[in-house]
Amino acid sequence: QRWASGKPVDEHTKRSLCVTQYLSPQEQRDLGYACSDLMGWSTIGRRNIATLEALKWGAESIVTVDDDNACMSQDYFYWFEKLFGNAFNGLAVSPATWFNVGALCTPAFVQRGFPVGQLPNCYEVGHVVNARIGVASGVALLDPDISAVERIANAPTVHGVSELLRSGVAFRPRYKQWTVFNSQVTAFLRELAPAMLMVPQFKRFDDIFASLICQRVMRHREFLVHHGQPFVAQQRNSHNLHSDLAAEMWGMRYVQ
């Protein structure tokens, strides 16, 4: 209950303390999941194993992160806890068809997975009360998660967000209304975990298709997607942009 300095630990810090477990490749094999070999290695699809283990532990919500992201505040997990632990009363966006969260950043960018044919981004801002958040999608600044086309053409360095995004906005999945979110700074409720399956064969659209399937389930369960804090700074790992583009072509063809 105390740091090495002898100072007492406050309640907020207590909630932030956690036990970590690293699963080596061999330990993952030893778990006996039949899907392990199908997912391959060095893919974010390995997060499926972590999700299954979290469900086994009894987790009420699950947070997925990227190793090239740096938290921009000490209340990273608190944001998720607050969103899932309370009814959401706040701003909500309603697009004509698709909502691109990158439009609320400076400079604006196109989120990976957003259908090119749906640009420009058109939406109205309203509010919701007593809403339930099913997925909380944080925002990556500096080098955000954009399409290979966007990175090759513009390579934006994002250094700001709008007040809408700083406050946080909810999106209600409705018929013919969609958004996309990835899995790099993302949390979701336990009951939505099956819908968040990331299929490696979808390549760079593995988490994008998961987000669309999850939204279809959320529409039925009346859950909302939350875009906003926590924020992270992304210092992107080395990528081959031509390989990224090739890995996105199939998804670009079918997400419209």
Side-chain angles (χ1 to χ4, degrees):
Q1 296 296 309
R2 292 175 179 267
W3 294 112
S5 64
K7 294 181 179 179
V9 180
D10 57 54
E11 289 301 319
H12 176 71
T13 304
K14 286 180 183 178
R15 293 195 299 269
S16 299
L17 297 176
C18 61
V19 176
T20 61
Q21 179 181 7
Y22 167 72
L23 296 173
S24 68
Q26 186 56 53
E27 287 172 328
Q28 292 182 49
R29 294 187 184 96
D30 293 342
L31 291 171
Y33 291 115
C35 63
S36 181
D37 290 338
L38 295 175
M39 288 185 297
W41 298 90
S42 298
T43 71
I44 65 170
R46 300 307 303 178
R47 289 177 175 164
N48 294 324
I49 298 294
T51 298
L52 290 171
E53 284 296 288
L55 294 174
K56 186 188 298 183
W57 296 346
E60 296 178 359
S61 60
I62 298 167
V63 182
T64 58
V65 300
D66 274 11
D67 61 1
D68 55 2
N69 291 172
C71 300
M72 296 180 64
S73 65
Q74 295 182 354
D75 53 3
Y76 180 94
F77 290 106
Y78 171 70
W79 280 100
F80 295 132
E81 180 182 352
K82 181 176 71 171
L83 288 168
F84 292 140
N86 302 280
F88 179 77
N89 302 299
L91 300 174
V93 291
S94 179
T97 50
W98 289 78
F99 173 67
N100 170 36
V101 67
L104 300 182
C105 295
T106 305
F109 64 88
V110 179
Q111 172 77 26
R112 175 174 57 89
F114 190 88
V116 177
Q118 294 294 332
L119 296 178
N121 190 41
C122 298
Y123 60 89
E124 296 179 352
V125 180
H127 69 277
V128 292
V129 295
N130 293 324
R132 298 185 299 165
I133 301 299
V135 171
S137 177
V139 178
L141 304 183
L142 298 186
D143 193 355
D145 189 18
I146 57 180
S147 67
V149 172
E150 176 88 340
R151 185 164 277 112
I152 292 170
N154 299 315
T157 299
V158 175
H159 51 76
V161 299
S162 70
E163 288 302 313
L164 286 177
L165 200 55
R166 188 173 299 279
S167 296
V169 295
F171 170 83
R172 186 189 302 278
R174 289 193 172 105
Y175 180 64
K176 292 187 177 181
Q177 290 185 341
W178 302 90
T179 187
V180 288
F181 52 85
N182 54 36
S183 61
Q184 70 172 6
V185 49
T186 309
F188 49 89
L189 292 177
R190 176 187 182 88
E191 67 179 274
L192 296 174
M196 286 299 294
L197 169 69
M198 284 173 275
V199 181
Q201 286 74 13
F202 292 161
K203 300 183 179 179
R204 279 182 53 80
F205 269 65
D206 46 9
D207 51 359
I208 299 302
F209 274 98
S211 79
L212 299 177
I213 294 170
C214 190
Q215 286 177 73
R216 181 61 187 88
V217 175
M218 292 169 69
R219 186 193 309 168
H220 176 72
R221 298 284 292 122
E222 298 186 350
F223 283 126
L224 278 64
V225 180
H226 181 274
H227 290 290
Q229 300 199 55
F231 299 152
V232 298
Q234 174 161 274
Q235 296 179 315
R236 195 169 188 248
N237 294 325
S238 178
H239 280 247
N240 182 307
L241 295 183
H242 293 96
S243 297
D244 283 354
L245 178 59
E248 292 176 20
M249 290 299 295
W250 184 83
M252 292 170 62
R253 185 176 297 115
Y254 291 104
V255 177
Q256 301 179 9

